[in-house]
Amino acid sequence: MAGKKVVGVLALQGAFREHIKALEMLGIQSKLIKNNKDLEGIDGIILPGGESTSMGKMLMDFNMLGILADKITNGLPAWGTCAGMILLAKKINGDDNAHLKVMDIDVERNAYGRQIDSFVTNKIIPKISSTELPLVFIRAPYINNVGIGVEVLCKIDGNVVAAKEENMLATSFHPELTEDLTFHRYFIDMIYS
Ligand code: GLN
């Protein structure tokens, strides 16, 4: 890979350390993002899992929401995992407010009923890899509806759980909680392409 790229990981709350670790394993330089100044000089950003309401509120309180949304709209590669996917969405079902409102997806929070609110499944996602990937869902959202420019990457039981729109990637599940680096590699390729 030519040219050193720096990947920011939003570090206000949630599972950001696991993403940093995965990037380290791939030899990619990462940067914790806690304020607007940290957003300078990054080549991509990961929005981790956690609690989307808290993260959205912090982004708002720290005046980061508009600046980050503009950067993504202007092409900064962004990957949201779980709560991070909710942050990217233009619409959250049953909620009049959304957060960054950059990706043309409608999401359903906590979409899996109580009994299966957390689960792991293995699946081949042909657009990503020819081998099975472990998919970890924790009180996960799924995507109810995708806009015309959105490519569906993976469905489970008919529900969209991974999608891509131009420079944006969204996954309901948490690749950073597994040993498998395929999704991180895929995102890094988006940054380099
Ligand atoms: N249920 C959380 C939310 O709605 C997301 C859970 C997660 O990121 N693991 O924000």
Side-chain angles (χ1 to χ4, degrees):
M1 284 184 181
K4 254 303 201 199
K5 302 276 187 189
V6 179
V7 178
V9 181
L10 188 68
L12 301 176
Q13 192 265 342
F16 56 89
R17 288 178 198 85
E18 291 79 354
H19 277 294
I20 300 271
K21 199 171 148 236
L23 293 168
E24 258 167 27
M25 307 254 286
L26 289 172
I28 300 292
Q29 195 180 331
S30 59
K31 182 179 180 186
L32 295 174
I33 307 294
K34 293 179 187 266
N35 53 47
N36 280 331
K37 193 159 181 305
D38 294 336
L39 289 170
E40 288 165 22
I42 55 170
D43 300 293
I45 187 162
I46 296 178
L47 311 172
E51 213 343 280
S52 55
T53 312
S54 318
M55 273 194 269
K57 186 172 182 317
M58 283 191 254
L59 285 173
M60 179 93 94
D61 292 349
F62 303 159
N63 288 319
M64 294 172 76
L65 204 59
I67 290 175
L68 180 54
D70 282 352
K71 280 187 185 281
I72 298 172
T73 303
N74 288 324
L76 180 72
W79 173 22
T81 55
C82 203
M85 167 167 118
I86 298 168
L87 292 179
L88 290 174
K90 284 195 176 162
K91 270 201 201 142
I92 302 170
N93 199 18
D95 195 334
D96 290 338
N97 295 309
H99 304 285
L100 293 164
K101 300 187 198 128
V102 287
M103 187 165 179
D104 202 1
I105 53 176
D106 296 359
V107 297
E108 179 84 30
R109 289 184 67 196
N110 303 321
Y112 295 92
R114 201 171 250 192
Q115 277 158 20
I116 52 156
D117 68 359
S118 298
F119 61 99
V120 185
T121 186
N122 293 294
K123 199 166 159 60
I124 294 177
I125 304 178
K127 287 176 181 163
I128 308 279
S129 140
S130 55
T131 54
E132 277 195 345
L133 302 177
L135 309 181
V136 176
F137 293 80
I138 303 170
R139 292 180 58 74
Y142 58 59
I143 300 173
N144 275 326
N145 223 340
V146 299
I148 200 142
V150 177
E151 182 185 8
V152 171
L153 298 174
C154 180
K155 280 186 184 181
I156 290 195
D157 297 336
N159 300 310
V160 178
V161 293
K164 179 173 181 288
E165 181 183 12
E166 294 176 4
N167 55 315
M168 294 169 278
L169 175 66
T171 57
S172 298
F173 44 85
H174 293 262
E176 78 284 8
L177 300 183
T178 74
E179 300 286 303
D180 193 290
L181 297 170
T182 308
F183 261 94
H184 288 82
R185 249 187 232 111
Y186 182 82
F187 182 58
I188 300 304
D189 284 349
M190 280 173 61
I191 294 177
Y192 275 89
S193 66

